[in-house]
Amino acid sequence: MLDQINIDYFILLTALLLIIGVLTTKFSTRLGVPALVLFLMVGMIMGSDGLGLIHFENAKLTQLIGLFALIVILFEGGLQTKWSSVKPVLTPSLSLATIGVLLTTIVVAVAAKLIFNVSWLEGLLFGAIVGSTDAAAIFAVLKGQNIKDKLGSTLEAESGTNDPMAMFLTLSLIELMTADNPSYFLLIGSFIWQMGMGLVLGYLFGRIASVAINKINLDSSGLYPIFALAFALLTYSLTDLFGASGLLAVYIAALVIGNRDLTYRHSIFRFNEGFAWMMQILMFIILGLLVFPAQFLNVDIIFKGLLLSIILIFIARPVSVFLSTLRMGFDIKEKVFLSWAGLKGAVPIVLATFPMTMGLENSQLFFNVVFFVVLTSALIQGSTISVIAEKLGLNGPKKVEAPHTLELVSIGKANAEMIEFVVGEQAAYLNQPLKEITLPKDSLISAIIRKGDLITPYGDTKIKEDDILYILVSKQRIRELKDLLNSTKVPLQSSE
């Protein structure tokens, strides 16, 4: 009976935490505070130093859940990232993800050495843990914002690819601190192998997953999203077994999958978006549970943690951005914005659990200070990103979001797909009536969404900018249709 009560209690708490987590996203939008801050606070309130409903201090389990959540979040972020947007900013993004993280680590190391009177290796470990921008925080904060595509794409690509660098530096420094005879040359070789093989295996698994999703006809449409997610987990685990960066491989695989034509594309995207939100809620709440406010809410930790946060936000991040993006086409205002948008989130807190599980000296200090730095970064930077972008004049045109409610036909066993397309301002067929636009054979415009309203298409209906077209097309004609829709030089011509 007691065991049954404990099980029911656990299920009840899980349900309550998820409900509270979902509701807090609504409040976060109204308050202008990143949702991750509220998730962390929910965990802290529920924990031992709060209401005492949940006593949790298992750093190893937190690490496991955190890594699993990061895989899901990176996979979802990669799926949503358009290669056409990332390609122009690939060089600065990778520079920020590698050189930028290294520069941030060095600057923070000097500050940590002076502020906390730790060894140089411990100072570098501080820097490595907080050196990367957080994918979960960046994806969540930028979603729905009309920041210039160039800047948004740079931040998303950086946050998706810099976690492996931070993890490599963190684990390497822990190895240097614990090994009897550490080899610096082996670490350099390990870095090249991890990043190189992470890219290669990520691309390979992405191609395999894309072909498998399209070629295998499953009995239920609900299996396709699970199938895609399974490939994300497979990519991470097998890449990690090869000694390469599993997180990098997952992001690259998702980037490949998300930019290919997929059966049940929107179903896969929506499922992973919802699952990523669930994992983000659970991850941040559990990280909040692991924190004991009484340990870090004291004058010494607050003062020193705030000082380190100020140095990280106003010195380390700007230095890394300005130096790692030299001669890469960014003006001063854009560099200032990139500096300010270096949000910290789950990754630093998860990385801070590694010293704890390894039993390093000062590991609790590491965790408490890192948690405080993340909290201040999210509160100060996360809540003001849109304001800073507006003040610097870096807002782009308002983004048109497709509602994804008309995926009527996307069946693996059928010979048809419902294609969704947003009409751009340069479309050759802009303002033309439908009767003058000849689409490929076996194609039909089934519906038009215009400013949130459903428009029934007739022959005299004219195509307007930002219209969302839903076109029923045979699978053999999908590529031909997309080539015509993306044409901006000449009006659409008959393909027959």
Side-chain angles (χ1 to χ4, degrees):
M1 180 67 71
L2 185 60
D3 289 341
Q4 184 62 44
I5 292 174
N6 288 334
I7 292 172
D8 292 341
Y9 181 70
F10 173 78
I11 294 173
L12 175 62
L13 278 177
T14 302
L16 290 175
L17 289 176
L18 285 174
I19 291 172
I20 293 170
V22 171
L23 293 178
T24 54
T25 61
K26 190 71 175 178
F27 290 109
S28 72
T29 304
R30 293 183 177 181
L31 296 174
V33 177
L36 68 91
V37 174
L38 299 182
F39 298 155
L40 288 170
M41 289 183 175
V42 168
M44 293 166 64
I45 292 171
M46 293 286 190
S48 301
D49 280 358
L51 298 177
L53 296 177
I54 305 173
H55 181 79
F56 183 80
E57 53 182 354
N58 192 328
K60 193 69 177 178
L61 181 59
T62 302
Q63 192 180 107
L64 176 62
I65 295 173
L67 285 175
F68 183 86
L70 288 177
I71 293 169
V72 175
I73 292 167
L74 281 174
F75 185 65
E76 192 271 335
L79 288 177
Q80 301 285 356
T81 303
K82 295 181 179 179
W83 174 246
S84 58
S85 300
V86 170
K87 188 177 179 181
V89 296
L90 191 60
T91 300
S93 297
L94 292 178
S95 181
L96 284 167
T98 51
I99 298 173
V101 172
L102 185 60
L103 290 172
T104 301
T105 298
I106 293 171
V107 175
V108 172
V110 175
K113 166 71 175 173
L114 296 175
I115 295 172
F116 297 101
N117 193 30
V118 293
S119 67
W120 280 112
L121 279 178
E122 288 178 318
L124 287 168
L125 185 56
F126 259 115
I129 289 173
V130 299
S132 67
T133 57
D134 186 70
I138 291 293
F139 293 149
V141 171
L142 292 185
K143 189 168 291 185
Q145 301 289 345
N146 61 328
I147 293 164
K148 282 186 176 180
D149 286 341
K150 175 184 177 183
L151 298 174
S153 298
T154 300
L155 288 169
E156 288 181 358
E158 178 201 3
S159 64
T161 55
N162 68 3
D163 292 345
M165 181 67 174
M167 182 166 287
F168 168 78
L169 289 174
T170 299
L171 295 178
S172 297
L173 287 164
I174 291 175
E175 183 179 343
L176 290 176
M177 294 169 67
T178 56
D180 295 329
N181 297 302
S183 173
Y184 294 92
F185 292 105
L186 285 178
L187 290 179
I188 296 173
S190 175
F191 171 76
I192 296 172
W193 171 264
Q194 286 193 36
M195 300 303 144
M197 285 304 296
L199 287 170
V200 172
L201 292 176
Y203 178 78
L204 180 63
F205 281 117
R207 292 298 298 269
I208 293 173
S210 301
V211 173
I213 291 169
N214 286 329
K215 294 296 183 183
I216 299 176
N217 290 329
L218 301 174
D219 293 333
S220 172
S221 61
L223 293 174
Y224 284 92
I226 298 174
F227 196 43
L229 181 62
F231 270 102
L233 300 174
L234 183 69
T235 299
Y236 176 85
S237 57
L238 291 183
T239 303
D240 196 58
L241 286 175
F242 276 99
S245 175
L247 293 178
L248 179 60
V250 167
Y251 183 75
I252 298 300
L255 191 62
V256 172
I257 296 170
N259 284 274
R260 297 181 69 83
D261 293 323
L262 296 175
T263 298
Y264 283 107
R265 178 183 182 84
H266 294 314
S267 297
I268 292 172
F269 279 36
R270 298 285 74 78
F271 171 85
N272 280 284
E273 182 181 21
F275 193 54
W277 267 111
M278 187 181 79
M279 293 310 302
Q280 192 174 160
I281 290 170
L282 289 177
M283 176 178 63
F284 283 115
I285 288 177
I286 288 172
L287 290 173
L289 289 173
L290 191 63
V291 173
F292 292 85
Q295 294 181 3
F296 79 92
L297 290 180
N298 60 69
V299 176
D300 188 57
I301 292 292
I302 290 176
F303 175 74
K304 292 181 178 179
L306 187 59
L307 185 57
L308 190 65
S309 296
I310 291 172
I311 292 172
L312 176 61
I313 295 171
F314 294 100
I315 300 177
R317 173 66 179 178
V319 166
S320 68
V321 169
F322 276 76
L323 292 181
S324 60
T325 59
L326 281 174
R327 299 180 181 179
M328 292 187 183
F330 293 98
D331 59 31
I332 296 296
K333 287 184 178 180
E334 290 172 334
K335 289 186 177 182
V336 169
F337 177 77
L338 290 175
S339 301
W340 188 255
L343 288 179
K344 311 304 172 187
V347 174
I349 302 176
V350 172
L351 291 179
T353 63
F354 282 90
M356 297 178 72
T357 57
M358 296 295 292
L360 293 184
E361 187 182 359
N362 295 323
S363 60
Q364 191 61 52
L365 173 66
F366 276 74
F367 187 85
N368 292 336
V369 173
V370 167
F371 187 88
F372 187 83
V373 167
V374 169
L375 205 57
T376 53
S377 171
L379 283 171
I380 297 172
Q381 295 172 284
S383 60
T384 56
I385 278 185
S386 57
V387 176
I388 296 297
E390 185 177 352
K391 294 292 183 182
L392 294 173
L394 299 176
N395 283 334
K398 187 176 181 180
K399 295 181 180 179
V400 178
E401 297 290 341
H404 303 309
T405 55
L406 296 179
E407 192 183 19
L408 304 179
V409 178
S410 183
I411 304 173
K413 296 180 180 179
N415 190 34
E417 294 278 354
M418 182 69 79
I419 298 298
E420 172 191 277
F421 184 81
V422 180
V423 179
E425 60 180 355
Q426 300 298 323
Y429 43 89
L430 202 62
N431 297 317
Q432 288 189 21
L434 293 180
K435 62 185 178 183
E436 296 181 8
I437 304 174
T438 306
L439 296 174
K441 184 181 178 181
D442 301 326
S443 303
L444 176 68
I445 296 179
S446 303
I448 300 173
I449 302 295
R450 180 175 297 162
K451 296 181 179 179
D453 295 326
L454 176 65
I455 305 295
T456 303
Y458 296 102
D460 293 328
T461 303
K462 292 185 178 181
I463 301 296
K464 301 292 184 181
E465 183 182 348
D466 293 337
D467 276 358
I468 302 171
L469 309 180
Y470 287 89
I471 308 173
L472 187 63
V473 58
S474 67
K475 289 184 177 180
Q476 290 80 4
R477 299 281 184 170
I478 290 176
R479 176 48 54 194
E480 185 180 355
L481 173 65
K482 289 193 173 183
D483 288 341
L484 290 171
L485 291 174
N486 287 311
S487 174
T488 58
K489 295 181 181 179
V490 295
L492 298 177
Q493 301 295 324
S494 173
S495 62
E496 299 182 54

